[in-house]
Amino acid sequence: MHNPLLSRRTLWALVLCVTALAGAAAEQPSPEGITDATIAIGVEAGVGSLSLDGENQGFRLAFEEANARGGVHGRRFVWSDRRRKSGDPAEVLAVARQMIDDDHVFALVNFSGPAIGDIAAYARSQRVPVMFPHTALVSSEGERYLFTSFPRFEGEAAVMFRYLSRERKLTRLAIAHDPNAYGLTFRDRLTAHASEFGYEVAGAVPITARKPTDLSSEFAALVATRPEAIVMAIYPEQAQALMAARARAGWRGRMVSAGPLTDEASLTVPGGSADGTLGFCHYPDPERSQAPGVERYRSALSRTYPGRQVDRYTLYGYTFGRLVVEGVERAGKALTRERFIDAMEGIVNWDAGGVLPNVSFSATNHHAQRAGFICEMQGGRLVALTDWIAP
């Protein structure tokens, strides 16, 4: 016997089910990582690294600032908590591919290290933007889906080694380097520029452990070469251990840091002074600078992460995160990856508030920052010795 009440109930249940499924489908990210309400960004969770975790926190800070304003064109930035198991390049690449293949992110931000070339190549094959990796090991020349951040290592090395020889009159330089592409680039450039700039390479010592506890023997090996200065093309945890070994040894020769390392938090250790350390700075003093962009960063950091110490790593992530937000805003409501890239290429003289020189992109220029400045640790802070220098 036909039951009209049952039929109505069945029909209503079907309507509710279809409506729910349609709503759920609408909230599922598209293959480009976008819904009507969200933009999925590939940013890594913390891995216990001073520099990497700070950089990624800075990017999230910029996205959280945009979200607090209601998002961009009604969309809020979201990200997963994917975490690499180690710093092995294969593991880093695997995490990036998972973000692209499984999370369907709109873009990757900040990935760095020796894996960045393979990450950029895979992202290119999937037409996924890679935004501002914290490295100079990869070039954006001729790339559509890659935007790079700070000065190239080769140019920085030339500026610093010329300065050490000709301005500081140092004639014997040694280097402590990570045995990866970053460290080897500086080691090789130190040798390549020796005759041109008029100094001798006293020695080169690899620092193989990424998070060493004691580098006394490595530091002794460096000192045994009788250098006037020791260049550090290493990572923050390595530098902290080397600076601690220097303090224990009581050595008072000059220390020199490579650009990505040049931050007070990376160079200062208990019981030892880093004063006199020279470096190539990419950004102003995050604690003392009165530049509008730095003041904005400090305000955002204290508001969102109360108690978090300022440093150049979070300042970097925040500033380049703001550039990503700028591109999304310019792309408009009908956001796609291709529209985003077109919008980024239309940026001319974007004002970073003094954090870095004004930024301009084009279809043939995806490199944001070509200049840095020479600085020296004085009273526990890195002080600028020059204006912006573009190698």
Side-chain angles (χ1 to χ4, degrees), residues 80-92:
S80 67
D81 288 322
R82 287 201 181 272
R83 188 188 314 270
R84 67 176 71 166
K85 296 182 178 66
S86 72
D88 181 85
E91 173 65 21
V92 180

Side-chain angles (χ1 to χ4, degrees), residues 182-331:
Y182 154 56
L184 293 175
T185 296
F186 279 92
R187 184 202 66 180
D188 294 346
R189 301 313 294 171
L190 184 67
T191 299
H193 287 301
S195 59
E196 177 187 1
F197 298 150
Y199 59 78
E200 294 181 70
V201 179
V205 174
I207 308 298
T208 56
R210 186 55 60 88
K211 294 186 178 182
T213 56
D214 185 358
L215 291 179
S216 297
S217 61
E218 288 86 349
F219 190 78
L222 286 161
V223 172
T225 66
R226 297 179 292 106
E228 295 173 303
I230 296 173
V231 177
M232 296 179 289
I234 50 182
Y235 291 89
E237 291 81 5
Q238 296 169 321
Q240 289 171 335
L242 196 70
M243 294 296 283
R246 173 181 182 256
R248 289 192 298 270
W251 192 71
R252 291 294 176 263
R254 184 81 64 172
M255 303 299 285
V256 181
S257 67
L261 176 65
T262 309
D263 181 86
E264 289 83 355
S266 300
L267 302 172
T268 304
V269 296
S273 172
D275 279 6
T277 299
L278 295 167
F280 191 74
C281 280
H282 295 158
Y283 320 112
D285 187 334
E287 183 177 292
R288 297 181 179 177
S289 173
Q290 300 304 304
V294 181
E295 291 185 331
R296 174 175 171 169
Y297 150 77
R298 285 196 295 262
S299 176
L301 188 70
S302 64
R303 183 172 58 250
T304 308
Y305 300 117
R308 173 56 160 94
Q309 183 65 36
V310 300
D311 58 31
R312 284 174 173 79
Y313 301 119
T314 49
L315 175 59
Y316 153 80
Y318 173 71
T319 302
F320 283 99
R322 285 180 55 208
L323 253 178
V324 174
V325 173
E326 178 75 13
V328 172
E329 289 178 339
R330 290 176 180 233

Side-chain angles (χ1 to χ4, degrees), residues 6-22:
L6 179 61
S7 298
R8 285 196 298 273
R9 286 176 177 171
T10 302
L11 180 61
W12 181 240
L14 287 170
V15 169
L16 289 176
C17 182
V18 169
T19 302
L21 288 173

Side-chain angles (χ1 to χ4, degrees), residues 145-160:
Y145 297 97
L146 174 64
F147 287 76
T148 49
S149 53
F150 51 69
R152 300 282 296 168
F153 289 151
E154 294 84 355
E156 174 187 333
V159 167
M160 283 305 301

Side-chain angles (χ1 to χ4, degrees), residues 29-34 38-44 78-82 95-109 111 122-123 126-130 337:
S30 73
E32 293 205 356
I34 308 165
T38 62
I39 304 169
I41 297 292
V43 55
E44 293 182 278
V78 297
W79 48 88
S80 67
D81 288 322
R82 287 201 181 272
V95 169
R97 290 187 63 148
Q98 288 165 359
M99 289 181 176
I100 293 172
D101 297 340
D102 301 336
D103 301 337
H104 303 294
V105 296
F106 176 74
L108 299 176
V109 299
F111 279 84
Y122 185 70
Q126 304 301 306
R127 299 185 178 182
V128 175
V130 178
R337 289 175 182 146

